[in-house]
Amino acid sequence: MESPNCKWEIRDRVAVITIDRPPMNTLSRDMLVELEGILDQVEPDEAVGCLLITGAGDRMFSAGADVSEFGEMGGDREVAEKILKRMHDLFNRIEAFSKPVVACLNGKALGGGNELQMACHLAIAADTAELGLPEVRLGIIPGYGGTQRLPRLIGRRRALELMLSGRRISAPTALEYGLINRIAPQDQVHEEAFQWAKELAAGPPIAMKGILDAVVRGSEGDLSQGLSIERENMLSVIRTEDAIEGVTAFFTKREPSFNGR
């Protein structure tokens, strides 16, 4: 299935979404509207257990926002605020998505491209990839959530160093910092990412949704609030058919078969 700026397909319960705006795979507003539409379709689809977001080609996951659209942003403040709010809402939606979302960084993830992968739950990068938030070099700041997500992922001082300098880091450094989860050779990253997403898609949907919700919502408050969310989700999950199946399979020494009920 294709949109003008995105290609997507469902394979083995994985919805593979490919940003396809050569040569830089920039995040135009039209492209992000298309992404919203894809999320609308795959979130309620029981045939989808995991999302995988990647870029076309082998050089660029995404170079971020389409700079040619900045003129409109610099004009009417109300228009600019609406655009930024919509982008925040979209990336928040990805972060709060009820199914695992894996970013496959086939190449560089810069600016909004880096902010997009930070909104995903998990990330794997090609060993040749670079990540950065270079907005300061344009005289602006990261505007798609980078000033908030990067410190939460790698710590305040490291995040400030990267944002104030606009410096890029390599995939190994990003792994060391905790900005990504895994590295794979460039020619294998798509396949390794898909196999990872396929494994996640085979998991118990209700339990995975509960984990994602508890972590994302729980991170917004203090420990007491987080534990309250955990209790709430555990009480919802514990009596499901999947929970009964999981425990039964454990005691009978067989692989469980989850059905999302």
Side-chain angles (χ1 to χ4, degrees):
M1 289 167 276
E2 295 189 18
S3 299
N5 302 290
C6 287
K7 297 177 181 177
W8 67 286
E9 62 176 338
I10 299 172
R11 289 189 288 133
D12 294 327
R13 291 183 50 77
V14 178
V16 181
I17 303 170
T18 303
I19 303 166
D20 190 12
R21 296 193 78 234
M24 306 298 280
N25 292 334
T26 50
L27 306 178
S28 69
R29 289 199 292 279
D30 286 345
M31 178 260 149
L32 291 169
V33 170
E34 291 170 27
L35 182 54
E36 286 180 328
I38 296 170
L39 297 180
D40 287 341
Q41 293 185 64
V42 300
E43 186 159 30
D45 190 344
E46 294 183 359
V48 175
C50 184
L51 273 64
L52 178 63
I53 301 178
T54 190
D58 59 6
R59 293 182 54 249
M60 190 69 65
F61 171 71
S62 173
D66 189 335
V67 179
S68 68
E69 298 180 343
F70 278 16
E72 187 178 0
M73 293 275 286
D76 189 306
R77 178 185 172 89
E78 185 176 341
V79 170
E81 185 172 3
K82 287 181 179 178
I83 292 170
L84 289 172
K85 178 64 165 55
R86 186 165 189 178
M87 297 307 102
H88 285 165
D89 288 346
L90 174 58
F91 283 23
N92 286 345
R93 180 180 181 186
I94 292 171
E95 186 173 49
F97 209 68
S98 61
K99 303 172 183 183
V101 183
V102 177
C104 172
L105 309 186
N106 52 299
K108 296 179 177 66
L110 305 174
N114 194 4
E115 290 169 301
L116 171 59
Q117 76 85 16
M118 284 190 277
C120 298
H121 301 131
L122 302 164
I124 181 172
D127 53 6
T128 56
E130 295 180 343
L131 297 86
L133 293 175
E135 287 87 348
V136 70
R137 297 184 180 183
L138 298 177
I140 59 175
I141 73 170
Y144 290 178
T147 64
Q148 303 306 303
R149 289 194 174 92
L150 190 61
R152 287 167 166 79
L153 286 169
I154 70 172
R156 182 174 177 176
R157 288 190 170 179
R158 278 179 168 167
L160 281 172
E161 178 186 359
L162 294 181
M163 287 187 285
L164 292 174
S165 67
R167 181 171 63 90
R168 301 179 186 181
I169 58 175
S170 66
T173 300
L175 180 64
E176 176 191 347
Y177 282 8
L179 186 54
I180 59 175
N181 300 87
R182 302 182 183 185
I183 294 177
Q186 170 68 60
D187 61 350
Q188 299 174 28
V189 69
H190 278 118
E191 181 58 26
E192 290 200 19
F194 180 75
Q195 291 303 321
W196 188 16
K198 184 178 174 181
E199 290 173 11
L200 291 166
I206 301 173
M208 298 184 84
K209 178 181 178 180
I211 290 169
L212 292 169
D213 177 70
V215 170
V216 173
R217 283 203 296 141
S219 300
E220 297 170 356
D222 59 25
L223 179 59
S224 177
Q225 292 170 318
L227 291 173
S228 177
I229 295 169
E230 182 182 280
R231 286 195 303 274
E232 170 192 331
N233 288 1
M234 182 60 171
L235 291 170
S236 296
V237 168
I238 196 66
R239 293 180 177 84
T240 62
E241 291 180 17
D242 277 357
I244 296 169
E245 165 64 10
V247 173
T248 302
F250 174 81
F251 282 112
T252 56
K253 302 186 187 316
R254 61 173 174 79
E255 288 297 315
S257 177
F258 299 116
N259 58 26
R261 291 190 289 273

